[in-house]
Each structure stands twice: as C-alpha cells, then as structure tokens.
Amino acid sequence: MASSPENNASPSVQKVMRLESSQGKKSQHAEEAIFYMNCRAAYLTVFKSSLENIKSKEQLSLVLQQAGRNPCQKTVNKYWTSQTTTLNFDDFCTILKKEKPATKTELLEAFGKIDTDNTGYILHDELYKILTTVNSILDEKPKLSFLLQRGEKMTRDEVSAIIKQADFNCSGKLDYNKFCDLYMTTSEQCCKTAREKLEVDCRLRQQQFGNQAELSSEGITLPVSKPSPRISRKTDHKLAPTKGDSRTPSRPSSAQSCKASISTTISMGASSNRNTKLIEPDTMKEWQWAQSKGCFYLEEDGEIVSHKYKLHLPQRSTVCITIKPLNVRQVEGKSYHWLSVDTALYILKENETQENLQLVSFTEQQNKEMFGWKGELGSGVYWLLPFTTGCRLKKVKPQIAGEAKLVYRGEDGELALTKDFRAALLDIFETIDLDGNGLLSLEEYNFFELRTSGEKCDEEAWAVCKENFDMKKNELTRQGFMDLNLMEANDREGDPSDLWVTLLSLGYNKALEMTEACPFVIDIYAEKCKPRIKAIYLEAGSSQLNRAICKSVVNKGEAKVMDGCENIIIHTYKAGRRITSVIENKSENKVIIHVNNEQSKNCLSNRGLTVFAVEVAPKSMMVSQHVMPLNEQEEWLYNCVHSLLR
C-alpha cells in the first residue's frame, strides 16, 4: 500500500505539517468570522435585525452598497428575479461571497475603456452621456455602476453634483484616478464605521436573528451598569410608526435546503386553574419579609428593559420568593393589559471573586398570576433578574382616536393638570416608589430620570427640589411629584411635549393607557433572618439572564438530538403557561436553524413570526423562542420543526 507524504516524513516534519494545518484552519475560521461580522455590520446599517428580510430590489441594492459592493442593475437582477419575494440574511451573505468588491485596479481599467487616449481624464460631456442614458451602457462597464444611485440612470442634476466636487474635477474634466482614490477611501470608511458601530453598540452586537444573543458555556459575569438608551427629554417628541405583528411572514428562501430536522409536539390544556403547590404567604406570617417593586419597559426596537436586584441574606434560611404584576389603580369594567403579562425571576448566586454568577433556580411554581420558588439559600449575596418572555409585552398598532389632554388653564389663567393625567401620574408614582413607603428617595427618583431622560439628578439638584417641592425625610411626596410635573408644563408655557416624552418612555400611549410596560412586585419571605432587597440597575436583558434561561431549560427540559446531526440538540421546557426551546450547537461551525410553527394552534410566540431562522455560533446555545397560549381559556398545541439549513 502506498504511504502518504506525511507518513514518509520524519516526526519533526510531521509535527510542523500538523502545526501549519492547525494554523491554517484557525486562520480560515478567523477570516470567516471577520467576513460574517462585516456582513452583519452592513445588514444592520439598513435593517433593525438580522431576522428582517430584504423585500425589494431597492433594499437589496442599498444593503449591498453598505457592504461596499455597489452592484449594477444587471447584477441586482441576477439575484432578484421575477420569482423572488424576499431574501434573508443568509442569502445576503451568499451574495457577498460571490460578488467581490471592486478594486482600484479594476475601476481604473473600466475608466480606461472610456478614456481610449489614456489621458487620465474623462470629459464631463462624456460623463453626462454615460450616466444619463440607458443602463445598457453601464451594463457593458459594470465596474462603473458605483456612479449610479439606486441602480438607475441619473438626472443631469445628480451628475452635476458629482462634477462639482473640486477634489477630482478641473477644466471640464474628471480626474478619474483621484476619483477612484476618494471612492475607495469613502467605501472603506463606510464599512469601518458600520463595524465600529456594531462593536460599540451592545444592542446591535447581540442581535442574532431577532435580538437573541448566542451564549457560550462559560461562567456568567456580573452586570455592567449602564443607562438604557432614551429619547432626549428636552426635545419635541414624535411617535415613530410601529409595525404590526406579522403572523404569516414569508418563508426564508433557504428553507428548501434543509438537511436535518426534528419535530416537537406538545398538547397543553386550558390554563383556567393554574394553581400549584406554591406556599401561600398567609402560612408564613411568622417569617420575615422584604419587598420591592419594579417594571418591564418596552423599547422602540422591541427590547425589554427592567430593574435588576441584589438580595442579601445574613444567614442560611428557607426562603420563598415570588413575583407578579403590580395591581395598581383599578377602574371597574376596564381591562388592564399588563395584568396578563407573564413574569419570572431568575435567582443567581454571587461568588467570592464576584466574577461569575451561578444559577440557583427560577420561579417556576405558579398560583394564578403569581410565580414563585421556595427552597433553602445559604448566607450571602444573590442577584434577582426579572424576566418576561415578550409574548404579551410587545409592540402593537395604536388604535387611538385622539390625544388625551394633559394640562389646561383654569379661570384664573393658571395651568393645572387634568384629572386623567393626575391619575396616570399617581400610577407612575406607585410604580417607581420601589420600596412602597409612599415617598420617592433620590435613588428611586433617579431610576425614573434614567428611564425618561437618560440622566441622573445629583445631590445638589435634589437639594433644589427640596426647596421647591414637598418632601418628607429628604424624600419626595406624591404632591411634590405632581408639582414637579406641573412645573415642567409651566416651563414650556403649557406645551405638553416634554410630558409626553415622559409618558411614552414609561409605556403609555396617547390615550394615557399603559400598553408598553408591566409593573411588578417582588416579595421575599425568610424563615430565619431578615432579607434585604435593593434595585441596582435598570437595563435591557443581559447576557447573564440569557445564560440563566438557557441553563434552566437545559436542566429541566427535554433534550432531543436532531436527526442526521448529532451535534445539534433542541431542548424544550414546558410549564403551565409557557414553552421555551433552546438550540445547543456542539459543533465547531456556525449553524443556521430554520424554525417552523405553522402547525401550532392557539399559540403566541415572542418572535411574532410563524416561520423564521436563527443563527447559532459554534460551541454555544441560544433561545429559539418562547411560546404562550393566545387564549388561556382554550387548549393549545405547540408543534415546532427545527431544521438545519445547508
């Protein structure tokens, strides 16, 4: 039998060959990682999420331009045929692999075909002719298509805008060598800017096909304090148009190339009696108790922001921890959206080095709208991370006839708050009064300020508040809070713009209904010691929360290996009110999983999609979706097919 060259080589040579092979693979993986990072950076310059599909030729042309490709119409038509309805992120990456960006040499050669005398210049009259006549001229010279905008012929005004640039025009001629230099520099700078934005902006960096971040199996790190992004409070506010839920989106075009799949079917009964063995607080009257309120807030991009807490236990004790929607002011006959929002708490232990958080458990026991956990905890510090699936707390199309009035002028000409606005402010006060003592401390007020303006009130400014508004024990009273908002209206001479910024950022719509927020209350009972709970941050879902969710599903759910691909495992966890699926990728390569819920019945997914795709990084896991019943009084069927693409 003939031996391979490697077998014939000496041990030292074989070692070098293996080392070179290993380095080559690492280099290849690094290049692929950079390529996909650049793809995502360009894609997220045009779209809010990698899950969004390209829906037109114009969008395809624009996103390719952001990636430095600048295709001609002929190239766009090659990928967007008469049968094409949508292209997804995976399709976009495939196109970029085929369509390489033009080099300066290629561009100069293309210009050289026009400049037959090789002067280095093109007369402006010739440039007008090329750019304002039929596209076939540029189809013959595709490398010059970057001069076009929208892949169409240009108007004389648009061409004039190019030739007026002094950097590469003089005496009625275009210096195309200088023009190419400027073009290459600008193109590289655009790509660099997109990459930097992706790296700096945590929200974009974590977007993995629908705002889900992939999670490695490494330890959970401590939260990093940062204010959540806000609209500036002191500017006129306009509501951005919101998109309705898409229940039947187009199937990703790559879905037809699935090579492995697995189906999960779960039949769930009606949830009218959702009682479990969660111990009732009435049976713990002798236990010591602590409480804190908080709130889930829905951002414009669909992210959910909430408070994060530290729990201190001075000694080992049996504890009971519960969370439920906060039942603020009720008006008879009126329904309140937030009371149907699902809530949960993940309990994580802080270790001695404070580098990692370890998942202890989560509130899976249920008693009506309350979720809880009962067990023994050792002394020390724990993090309590609130969670909601987003199935019920999501963007909806506003159906409001008019805008509620916030202020009016009385007979004496003085401004006053309307009855409805005062009622809304009382609800807001109830929500942001985290310790429930009927007063706002500076710390509590600053959570309110961070949410509504992105800024904090310092001690000096708080002292000014004390001089002008009603306070007790250095804390703001309800009346003081009302007067503070009235002062804001007076500062703008009755213009309610700033007041609306506050209301909208707190989840209210123009009818003064809280539709994009869910206040909640956390109760902690300890048998042998006095527990202490304190809100630390107000931020979007963190990586440690995502890891905790994934670990809880892996620990308590059912695992199924994907047929035909043993490195892909689908974990499914079911409770009385929620089903969560997690995709675990044990392979060395990135995978794209197609998810199909078309056979499910009476189901509501946090994705807002029936069919979608998710990308899972090597050696990691991520949440595929959370599903709840659309109507809890009826049975619901979860039927989900996960398929590996290509």
Side-chain angles (χ1 to χ4, degrees):
M1 181 182 295
S3 60
S4 67
E6 185 175 343
N7 291 334
N8 291 332
S10 66
S12 60
V13 173
Q14 291 179 20
K15 185 176 180 180
V16 171
M17 292 172 68
R18 285 195 296 269
L19 179 61
E20 288 177 347
S21 175
S22 176
Q23 290 174 340
K25 288 181 179 179
K26 286 182 179 179
S27 176
Q28 183 180 355
H29 287 155
E31 289 176 1
E32 185 177 6
I34 293 172
F35 171 76
Y36 279 103
M37 181 187 70
N38 290 336
C39 290
R40 182 163 291 107
Y43 205 86
L44 295 179
T45 303
V46 178
F47 302 101
K48 288 184 178 181
S49 166
S50 304
L51 182 59
E52 272 193 66
N53 287 336
I54 301 169
K55 298 178 181 177
S56 67
K57 282 186 179 181
E58 291 74 20
Q59 285 187 342
L60 175 60
S61 180
L62 178 60
V63 74
L64 287 174
Q65 288 171 6
Q66 292 296 330
R69 298 311 193 264
N70 294 292
C72 62
Q73 194 63 46
K74 187 175 182 180
T75 300
V76 173
N77 291 339
K78 181 168 65 173
Y79 298 105
W80 193 280
T81 67
S82 57
Q83 284 78 38
T84 306
T85 56
T86 60
L87 295 172
N88 63 17
F89 176 73
D90 190 41
D91 300 321
F92 171 67
C93 294
T94 301
I95 294 172
L96 290 191
K97 286 182 178 179
K98 295 178 181 179
E99 301 296 329
K100 305 297 182 182
T103 64
K104 182 181 178 182
T105 301
E106 291 173 326
L107 294 177
L108 290 175
E109 287 176 357
F111 274 113
K113 292 180 180 179
I114 302 173
D115 178 23
T116 54
D117 295 330
N118 199 27
T119 63
Y121 297 91
I122 295 177
L123 294 174
H124 287 167
D125 289 342
E126 180 69 11
L127 195 62
Y128 271 119
K129 179 181 177 182
I130 292 172
L131 297 180
T132 59
T133 53
V134 293
N135 290 348
S136 58
I137 293 177
L138 277 165
D139 285 341
E140 296 171 2
K141 307 174 179 66
K143 292 301 179 185
L144 297 187
S145 65
F146 65 91
L147 289 169
L148 291 180
Q149 299 183 22
R150 305 176 304 278
E152 304 168 356
K153 62 183 181 181
M154 299 173 68
T155 66
R156 292 187 67 86
D157 288 340
E158 289 171 332
V159 179
S160 296
I162 293 177
I163 66 177
K164 285 179 182 178
Q165 299 295 319
D167 292 339
F168 44 81
N169 290 284
C170 62
S171 304
K173 296 180 292 184
L174 172 80
D175 184 335
Y176 58 80
N177 188 59
K178 289 184 178 179
F179 181 89
C180 288
D181 284 337
L182 181 62
Y183 169 75
M184 296 301 294
T185 301
T186 303
S187 180
E188 290 171 3
Q189 185 59 43
C190 285
C191 293
K192 181 181 178 183
T193 301
R195 286 195 303 270
E196 289 174 347
K197 183 178 180 183
L198 186 67
E199 292 168 358
V200 172
D201 189 329
C202 180
R203 177 181 60 79
L204 289 180
R205 189 172 66 248
Q206 291 184 348
Q207 279 185 327
Q208 299 289 332
F209 288 80
N211 239 8
Q212 296 290 341
E214 73 270 14
L215 306 169
S216 70
S217 56
E218 297 173 0
I220 304 171
T221 56
L222 282 166
V224 177
S225 177
K226 65 178 187 296
S228 60
R230 290 295 144 250
I231 308 165
S232 175
R233 189 176 186 179
K234 299 304 177 186
T235 55
D236 289 337
H237 179 79
K238 293 183 179 179
L239 265 179
T242 56
K243 297 180 180 179
D245 294 339
S246 176
R247 298 302 300 160
T248 54
S250 300
R251 180 190 300 270
S253 59
S254 54
Q256 298 176 356
S257 56
C258 301
K259 63 180 182 181
S261 65
I262 188 168
S263 177
T264 303
T265 302
I266 302 174
S267 181
M268 304 288 283
S271 304
S272 57
N273 296 311
R274 299 189 305 270
N275 295 325
T276 62
K277 294 181 180 179
L278 176 63
I279 189 168
E280 288 286 354
D282 287 345
T283 66
M284 299 178 290
K285 291 180 179 179
E286 303 301 321
W287 292 22
Q288 299 190 67
W289 168 71
Q291 183 186 81
S292 183
K293 289 179 280 188
C295 195
F296 296 112
Y297 297 107
L298 189 62
E299 298 279 52
E300 279 298 318
D301 60 4
E303 266 196 319
I304 296 175
V305 170
S306 76
H307 295 81
K308 307 289 190 293
Y309 304 84
K310 269 189 177 183
L311 168 65
H312 297 260
L313 285 179
Q315 69 180 77
R316 178 176 292 275
S317 176
T318 301
V319 299
C320 181
I321 302 174
T322 66
I323 182 172
K324 64 179 180 180
L326 178 64
N327 196 355
V328 295
R329 175 181 56 98
Q330 295 277 308
V331 176
E332 189 176 348
K334 190 173 182 180
S335 62
Y336 292 89
H337 168 74
W338 74 85
L339 292 177
S340 67
V341 172
D342 58 293
T343 60
L345 267 179
Y346 284 81
I347 307 161
L348 291 81
K349 179 72 169 67
E350 185 175 291
N351 63 18
E352 293 178 0
T353 61
Q354 295 192 359
E355 292 178 353
N356 296 311
L357 299 178
Q358 298 174 343
L359 176 65
V360 175
S361 192
F362 66 102
T363 54
E364 61 177 329
Q365 294 178 312
Q366 184 181 1
N367 187 352
K368 298 181 180 179
E369 76 278 2
M370 177 191 294
F371 284 81
W373 175 83
K374 181 175 178 288
E376 189 171 277
L377 294 178
S379 62
V381 178
Y382 297 83
W383 283 87
L384 302 181
L385 306 184
F387 167 71
T388 183
T389 61
C391 293
R392 299 183 184 231
L393 187 59
K394 59 173 59 178
K395 290 286 178 181
V396 294
K397 284 185 178 180
Q399 297 178 339
I400 303 166
E403 181 179 300
K405 196 171 183 179
L406 304 183
V407 296
Y408 68 97
R409 290 195 181 274
E411 295 180 357
D412 57 359
E414 295 294 321
L415 280 175
L417 307 178
T418 63
K419 179 182 177 182
D420 289 342
F421 184 36
R422 286 182 64 85
L425 287 176
L426 286 173
D427 289 348
I428 291 170
F429 187 93
E430 180 73 14
T431 300
I432 63 178
D433 175 21
L434 301 183
D435 62 10
N437 71 343
L439 301 168
L440 292 183
S441 66
L442 175 57
E443 201 168 31
E444 290 171 328
Y445 182 76
N446 272 333
F447 280 121
F448 167 78
E449 277 296 319
L450 281 173
R451 178 64 204 166
T452 57
S453 70
E455 300 175 353
K456 280 188 174 183
C457 175
D458 57 24
E459 293 285 353
E460 185 178 351
W462 193 244
V464 174
C465 285
K466 190 173 183 179
E467 294 175 1
N468 292 276
F469 304 106
D470 186 36
M471 283 198 181
K472 290 181 180 178
K473 299 178 182 179
N474 202 36
E475 294 188 332
L476 192 65
T477 65
R478 286 183 176 83
Q479 187 57 50
F481 183 67
M482 294 288 184
D483 293 340
L484 185 63
N485 282 274
L486 180 58
M487 182 202 72
E488 191 164 352
N490 276 300
D491 285 347
R492 294 293 295 265
E493 298 181 349
D495 183 351
S497 299
D498 286 348
L499 298 176
W500 275 119
V501 170
T502 296
L503 289 165
L504 295 170
S505 65
L506 295 174
Y508 284 81
N509 62 21
K510 290 285 186 169
L512 287 180
E513 299 167 331
M514 190 196 300
T515 57
E516 296 185 357
C518 172
F520 57 79
V521 58
I522 298 170
D523 289 287
I524 300 156
Y525 300 85
E527 185 179 20
K528 297 180 179 179
C529 61
K530 174 65 176 176
R532 289 185 293 115
I533 181 173
K534 182 178 181 182
I536 305 297
Y537 304 121
L538 179 62
E539 62 179 17
S542 54
S543 59
Q544 56 268 31
L545 175 59
N546 289 326
R547 285 196 185 95
I549 294 168
C550 286
K551 286 187 176 182
S552 67
V553 172
V554 170
N555 291 341
K556 292 183 174 287
E558 178 185 5
K560 287 186 178 181
V561 177
M562 184 171 285
D563 296 336
C565 188
E566 61 182 13
N567 287 325
I568 307 300
I569 303 171
I570 307 300
H571 301 269
T572 306
Y573 166 78
K574 64 175 182 177
R577 198 178 179 186
R578 163 170 69 102
I579 293 175
T580 296
S581 60
V582 165
I583 303 168
E584 184 177 6
N585 176 17
K586 290 187 173 182
S587 73
E588 300 286 347
N589 302 308
K590 172 204 77 171
V591 297
I592 297 176
I593 305 295
H594 178 262
V595 185
N596 189 323
N597 296 301
E598 289 177 320
Q599 299 304 312
S600 294
K601 296 179 180 178
N602 188 31
C603 286
L604 192 62
S605 170
N606 71 306
R607 297 277 186 173
L609 302 167
T610 305
V611 179
F612 56 91
V614 293
E615 177 184 304
V616 190
K619 300 289 185 181
S620 69
M621 55 186 173
M622 67 172 291
V623 173
S624 170
Q625 63 179 341
H626 305 286
V627 176
M628 293 182 65
L630 186 63
N631 183 345
E632 291 194 11
Q633 308 307 314
E634 298 178 2
E635 293 182 354
W636 50 298
L637 178 69
Y638 173 79
N639 188 314
C640 180
V641 179
H642 288 84
S643 306
L644 178 65
L645 299 184
R646 282 201 276 276

